[in-house]
Amino acid sequence: MRRSALKPPPGEAGQDPETPPAPAPEPQRLRTEFPFELPRGYVDESGTVHREGVMRLATARDELVPLRDVRVQENPAFLSVVLLGRVITRLGTLPSVHDGVVEQLFASDLAFLQDFYRQINAEGHTRAGVSCPHCEQPFEVELGGSRLGES
């Protein structure tokens, strides 16, 4: 007995010649830089206040290299200063941003940047939805680590 090949219905393998192919989806771009505005601002040696800046996403290298820094080894609290100096790409009109600039920030600005770092490096948020084990009521909890580089 001879078998005949079945013709696939339109829209399946070997698509109907009258139907144009669907356009290729736009490639999704990953956002890697995020603007911020400091609560107080960095004051440079001439008295200019710099408040607007840009922070990029951290890489594994950004989190590992500061661990070899002698200042971090002697004082682990210095980790966030070195790390922020690596990921802040712009602050006002400063020609460059480095850990020496971060060291001179007001404490409120440093705290703001630490929180901002956690937020952008945790896919935009550091909160997770959970349920109470007793009453099963849903609520959110903060997942941010205590220090930068320690999530």
Side-chain angles (χ1 to χ4, degrees):
M1 176 184 220
R2 185 175 169 178
R3 293 186 179 175
S4 61
L6 294 175
K7 184 177 178 182
E12 290 184 15
Q15 203 167 15
D16 185 359
E18 295 174 19
T19 307
E26 284 283 322
Q28 207 171 17
R29 299 186 69 93
L30 177 64
R31 185 174 173 202
T32 60
E33 291 193 328
F34 300 84
F36 63 84
E37 185 172 333
L38 295 175
R40 297 194 188 276
Y42 170 75
V43 182
D44 67 18
E45 56 280 342
S46 68
T48 303
V49 179
H50 305 271
R51 293 185 68 201
E52 294 180 358
V54 175
M55 184 183 294
R56 66 172 172 78
L57 290 177
T59 64
R61 183 174 181 85
D62 290 323
E63 293 204 351
L64 294 171
V65 167
L67 298 175
R68 294 192 306 241
D69 190 303
V70 176
R71 298 167 297 178
V72 173
Q73 291 172 353
E74 291 175 359
N75 182 1
F78 207 73
L79 174 61
S80 65
V81 171
V82 176
L83 187 52
L84 289 170
R86 293 179 61 89
V87 298
I88 298 171
T89 58
R90 184 178 65 76
L91 184 56
T93 58
L94 295 175
S96 67
V97 182
H98 47 81
D99 51 22
V101 170
V102 177
E103 272 185 290
Q104 300 301 313
L105 291 171
F106 292 108
S108 58
D109 289 334
L110 179 62
F112 169 85
L113 289 170
Q114 290 170 329
D115 289 341
F116 189 67
Y117 175 93
R118 283 188 202 97
Q119 185 180 35
I120 70 171
N121 284 287
E123 297 184 32
H125 60 84
T126 58
R127 299 181 71 74
V130 296
S131 297
C132 174
H134 301 291
C135 68
E136 297 183 15
Q137 211 40 33
F139 64 98
E140 290 186 340
V141 294
E142 184 67 40
L143 298 176
S146 61
R147 288 189 292 217
L148 294 183
E150 294 182 354
S151 4

